[in-house]
Amino acid sequence: MPVSRRAFLQSAAAAPLVSALPGFATAELALGSATLTTVSDGHLMLPGALVFDPMPQEELAPILRDYGLSSGSLEPECNLALYRDGTYNVLFDVGSGPDFMPTAGKILSGLEALGLAPEDITHVVFTHAHPDHIWGLLDEFDEPLFYDARYLMGRAEWDYWWNPDTVSTIGEARATFAVGAKRRMQVIEDSVALFEDGDEILPGIAALSTPGHTPGHMAFEVRQGSQAALVVGDAIGNHHVAFRRPEWESGSDQDAATAAATRKMLLDRLTVEQMPLVGFHLPNGGIGRAEQTDDGYRFVEV
């Protein structure tokens, strides 16, 4: 079979990364006959102030010490959830692509480590449209990287980024987010399926509105029979203060008060139902459970 230029460039780009970055953290969870696996897209390098500035600094300091963290910088993992049931290969978000940060955008290597290629993905479902979740949509030719996949996004999230006023109202620091999101969304405009809170978007996958980090952020309950897990995206954005003090407002959220209420709702549900979660920026592959403690919650890896 002839090798297309697209396929040649994808394999050429991925091959050196696999050997150069062998330590991709992945985790896996069985759900009946299906599996949820996380695919690494690398990691981000962020100023700590992005998250910590709105928080009470005296109370924050001992929490950071407990987790061995610096208030100056953070390097969160980027873990894309991949659901496979023998019929569908569903990827939640597409990562950063090459234009956001040099430490991220490694999705091709992450997939190759699992023996998968872009054409194996049947569906791409977006939690939201921040750069580390949607900028990996396009390949070197500005065409969809996952060219055989169907695309799905919550209607509220789509409408927010599609609105021409968003770029001028989102704030100067995030204006490039709006430009980058819309450019990529324009490519899939005629092929994307939009959904609402509570919709079963695919067999066994139901949407759950989790606003705050972005206006239309969605989480997803993935269920096979009596077994279920929650793909939370950035609604629970880290394993430290988001768990210990979910009520604290974070600078990484666009609507910090709404995001804090969403976090508390999710953590209450996860602990009551003892449901596993998959978090985009949680450590060591991002799959674990939430446990209630005397002073909040904690993330327990699987």
Side-chain angles (χ1 to χ4, degrees):
M1 179 183 293
V3 178
S4 69
R5 181 166 177 255
R6 178 206 299 267
F8 173 79
L9 286 177
Q10 286 171 349
S11 61
L17 287 171
V18 172
S19 58
L21 296 167
F24 283 119
T26 62
E28 188 165 289
L29 179 70
L31 293 175
S33 59
T35 58
L36 263 175
T37 308
T38 50
V39 184
S40 176
D41 193 50
H43 69 276
L44 302 183
M45 300 181 68
L46 303 175
L50 175 69
V51 175
F52 301 138
D53 261 10
M55 299 177 181
Q57 298 301 302
E58 288 187 6
E59 295 177 59
L60 172 66
I63 295 175
L64 297 184
R65 285 197 297 271
D66 286 348
Y67 286 89
L69 296 171
S70 163
S71 62
S73 63
L74 294 168
E75 296 186 7
E77 294 178 18
C78 297
N79 299 304
L80 286 73
L82 173 68
Y83 173 74
R84 292 176 285 181
D85 65 1
T87 301
Y88 299 132
N89 296 326
V90 183
L91 188 65
F92 293 86
D93 299 324
V94 292
S96 297
D99 300 326
F100 187 50
M101 288 188 184
T103 55
K106 315 302 184 186
I107 182 61
L108 288 174
S109 297
L111 286 171
E112 185 168 324
L114 296 173
L116 296 172
E119 59 266 27
D120 295 319
I121 302 301
T122 61
H123 298 79
V124 169
V125 179
F126 293 102
T127 62
H128 65 297
H130 275 168
D132 51 332
H133 296 257
I134 198 172
W135 280 21
L137 177 67
L138 304 180
D139 66 11
E140 295 88 346
F141 310 109
D142 281 346
E143 297 173 357
L145 175 63
F146 300 98
Y147 48 89
D148 285 336
R150 291 185 57 208
Y151 295 89
L152 301 97
M153 185 183 289
R155 186 178 300 276
E157 186 74 358
W158 180 275
D159 289 347
Y160 174 75
W161 297 101
W162 196 259
N163 187 336
D165 293 334
T166 294
V167 69
S168 58
T169 57
I170 196 173
E172 183 178 355
R174 289 186 168 105
T176 56
F177 291 14
V179 173
K182 188 163 186 180
R183 183 169 80 83
R184 288 157 178 84
M185 290 161 62
Q186 285 170 330
V187 176
I188 60 171
E189 177 186 5
D190 295 331
S191 57
V192 69
L194 304 181
F195 56 85
E196 308 284 353
D197 177 32
D199 286 353
E200 185 177 43
I201 61 171
L202 289 166
I205 302 177
L208 174 65
S209 178
T210 48
H213 185 68
T214 63
H217 189 287
M218 286 282 185
F220 301 92
E221 181 182 301
V222 180
R223 180 173 293 277
Q224 280 245 339
S226 62
Q227 295 180 296
L230 203 61
V231 178
V232 301
D234 283 3
I236 304 175
N238 60 68
H239 68 293
H240 35 88
V241 290
F243 281 80
R244 284 278 289 273
R245 294 291 185 269
E247 72 279 7
W248 283 359
E249 295 187 3
S250 170
S252 63
D253 297 321
Q254 290 185 220
D255 180 341
T258 298
T262 292
R263 261 192 308 280
K264 188 65 168 62
M265 175 274 291
L266 287 173
L267 288 166
D268 285 347
R269 177 179 174 181
L270 288 163
T271 52
V272 168
E273 299 184 19
Q274 298 186 334
M275 185 186 300
L277 73 150
V278 185
F280 193 88
H281 293 304
L282 299 183
N284 295 322
I287 298 180
R289 294 182 181 272
E291 290 186 355
Q292 196 157 14
T293 66
D294 292 338
D295 60 350
Y297 302 83
R298 65 178 175 180
F299 175 64
V300 180
E301 299 168 17
V302 293

